[in-house]
Amino acid sequence: MSYTASLYQAISEVPSHEWDSLCADPVDPFMDRRLLAAVEQSMSADGKFFYVLMRDADGRPMAAAALCVFRVDGAVLAGPTLKRWAEAIRRWWPGYARLKVLFCGLPVSAGQKHLRLHPEADAALAIAALDDTMRRLARQERVWFIVAKEFERSDLAQLESLKQHGYVLADSLPMNHFAPRFSSLDEYCRALRSHYRYKIKKSLRKFDAAGLQLETLVDPQGILTLYTDDLHQLYNAVVDRAESKLEILPAEFFRQLARQLPGEVSLSVIRQNERIVAFGWGLTRGGAYRSLFIGVDYSLNAETDLYFNTMLRGIDVALQKGATDIFVGQAADDFKARIGCVQQPRFLYLKSPNRLLQAIFRRIARFVFPKPTPPQQHDLFKPEAIADAEVAANA
């Protein structure tokens, strides 16, 4: 018994009814053909995209995966010492540790996985077919590594057979989750212990004193009119300051996202007078709100706590939408812990198609990919406020 795998080079080539039978999801949008088209159409200059359907002996689709070949910073998940070495070497060798990698996943880091299994699928057969496809593709594209990402802890039992195919399990960057216990930012503030409430209220007053105003757009045409290349520079400013630069998304990706997923994609902009000084992209489906990426004018940050306010106002947008889940992205963990986020681990599997490199990698993987250091935990909320919120949620 085995599964057969069909490889496609564009999402438009994939039989839509077969793909949707595995990937249509009322909550998770990341295998939606429209979202995949947005990535493919906006980022094909920087990478190659592939799609795999795995079928059983009767021709029924049992698994689906989205793949890409992309160059990445090989030190992105490394510990502080290795990152410092990489930065030092890049002063005279700019391309050092920038590796061509084949991903089961896409170069849009929102903590999402791009492998789906039918409930009746034999996971081991699906993984064997997928690995065979990726190995052939890796040879064709001459990549350094094959990486399957971003899996939750609950996925690991199903994916155990990846280890039999030579993959090493490693920690990825955790997802930050904000429990939507409250209906608004005001209710959130009232639930805070006085010490934290004072600090957050101080930042919120800076927002008001500077005359900043928030507006959330959902209409695609309004978003497309507003989101110019100049405005996109605020996103680039945030990426430039990020400790882990997973990828740099072009402005066209965001515009394609608005076109492809109308009504689900939102753009919250912060204005000072008429000028937009910050923004946050959001994606809502089935009650789950995902804060995707933000942009900030850092010249106003000291005066207005603009980065902080942009993140917190984005959560307020989600709360007022009645979100049942709020995901606030990977990275900036310490900051997000201070506003009440809790980390959810993410995992990835790696191997090299080069036997010598694979043998070396297996011995040094735990040093190259150490467990992420968890942020300091903060006891933000009054116990009675949490109890009241839980009672209200269950009423």
Side-chain angles (χ1 to χ4, degrees):
M1 292 281 298
S2 63
Y3 286 175
T4 58
S6 298
L7 184 67
Y8 304 89
Q9 297 189 37
I11 192 60
S12 59
E13 297 176 0
V14 181
S16 58
H17 63 287
E18 291 188 281
W19 188 268
D20 290 346
S21 71
L22 296 165
C23 301
D25 193 300
V27 175
D28 186 344
F30 289 108
M31 287 285 271
D32 188 309
R33 287 180 292 110
R34 296 170 298 166
L35 187 147
L36 298 175
V39 177
E40 181 184 308
Q41 292 170 19
S42 62
M43 301 185 71
S44 57
D46 300 313
K48 294 183 179 180
F49 299 92
F50 306 89
Y51 310 91
V52 187
L53 276 175
M54 288 148 276
R55 302 179 179 90
D56 65 10
D58 296 323
R60 296 185 304 160
M62 289 286 109
L67 315 178
C68 75
V69 175
F70 209 75
R71 286 195 181 274
V72 299
D73 179 358
V76 69
L77 295 178
T81 301
L82 287 178
K83 279 185 178 177
R84 286 195 294 271
W85 287 353
E87 289 167 2
I89 293 171
R90 283 173 184 164
R91 292 172 187 168
W92 55 272
W93 183 6
Y96 173 73
R98 302 193 189 279
L99 309 176
K100 193 176 183 182
V101 176
L102 169 61
F103 289 100
C104 176
L106 294 181
V108 179
S109 297
Q112 75 280 13
K113 60 188 175 186
H114 284 93
L115 172 64
R116 298 290 187 273
L117 300 176
H118 189 281
E120 298 177 9
D122 184 316
L125 294 181
I127 286 168
L130 178 62
D131 175 62
D132 181 66
T133 302
M134 291 198 296
R135 283 190 294 107
R136 288 187 283 109
L137 197 54
R139 288 194 297 269
Q140 172 187 310
E141 298 295 329
R142 298 183 178 181
V143 304
W144 284 73
F145 288 99
I146 304 171
V147 179
K149 66 181 185 92
E150 306 267 350
F151 299 105
E152 300 175 38
R153 193 178 300 279
S154 59
D155 297 317
L156 300 187
Q158 261 193 326
L159 301 175
E160 183 66 21
S161 63
L162 279 167
K163 295 178 182 178
Q164 298 172 16
H165 296 279
Y167 291 83
V168 175
L169 177 65
D171 287 271
S172 185
L173 298 177
M175 169 60 67
N176 290 285
H177 179 260
F178 185 92
R181 302 184 180 101
F182 316 106
S183 62
S184 67
L185 186 56
D186 287 340
E187 189 176 318
Y188 161 82
C189 287
R190 287 195 297 270
L192 293 166
R193 295 179 185 273
S194 59
H195 173 68
Y196 295 103
R197 185 168 60 252
Y198 171 79
K199 289 185 174 181
I200 287 177
K201 284 283 193 179
K202 183 178 179 180
S203 291
L204 294 176
R205 284 195 296 271
K206 287 183 178 182
F207 184 94
D208 294 333
L212 300 178
Q213 294 185 324
L214 176 75
E215 177 189 7
T216 299
L217 296 88
V218 179
D219 172 62
Q221 192 53 54
I223 292 174
L224 294 173
T225 300
L226 208 60
Y227 201 74
T228 63
D229 289 347
D230 285 342
L231 184 57
H232 184 67
Q233 295 308 310
L234 299 182
Y235 160 81
N236 288 333
V238 174
V239 172
D240 287 343
R241 290 175 175 240
E243 183 178 344
S244 298
K245 295 179 177 64
L246 299 169
E247 73 279 310
I248 302 176
L249 299 168
E252 185 59 20
F253 164 74
F254 296 100
R255 293 193 279 258
Q256 284 289 343
L257 203 61
R259 291 187 188 103
Q260 295 285 355
L261 296 171
E264 296 183 299
V265 172
S266 60
L267 176 63
S268 296
V269 297
I270 295 174
R271 298 178 189 269
Q272 188 176 54
N273 300 320
E274 291 301 312
R275 186 169 71 94
I276 298 175
V277 297
F279 62 79
W281 287 94
L283 180 56
T284 304
R285 177 175 289 187
Y289 178 88
R290 291 172 171 84
S291 175
L292 295 180
F293 303 95
I294 69 170
V296 171
D297 180 349
Y298 280 99
S299 69
L300 297 175
N301 198 49
E303 174 192 348
T304 65
D305 288 348
L306 190 53
Y307 181 92
F308 172 88
N309 273 297
T310 302
M311 292 295 299
L312 200 58
R313 303 280 171 165
I315 289 174
D316 188 32
V317 169
L319 293 174
Q320 294 194 41
K321 284 176 175 281
T324 54
D325 257 326
I326 302 176
F327 300 94
V328 195
Q330 296 167 292
D333 299 329
D334 290 326
F335 166 79
K336 292 170 183 176
R338 291 198 299 272
I339 61 174
C341 293
V342 175
Q343 290 195 327
Q344 296 177 342
R346 292 291 186 268
F347 301 91
L348 48 82
Y349 291 86
L350 310 93
K351 76 172 181 180
S352 174
N354 180 290
R355 290 184 179 181
L356 177 59
L357 187 57
Q358 174 71 357
I360 296 171
F361 176 70
R362 290 183 70 87
R363 287 166 173 77
I364 66 172
R366 64 191 180 95
F367 302 107
V368 178
F369 297 101
K371 283 187 174 295
T373 302
Q376 179 183 347
Q377 295 303 302
H378 302 271
D379 187 13
L380 274 76
F381 301 109
K382 296 179 288 189
E384 63 272 20
I386 296 298
D388 291 345
E390 290 175 350
V391 169
N394 294 325

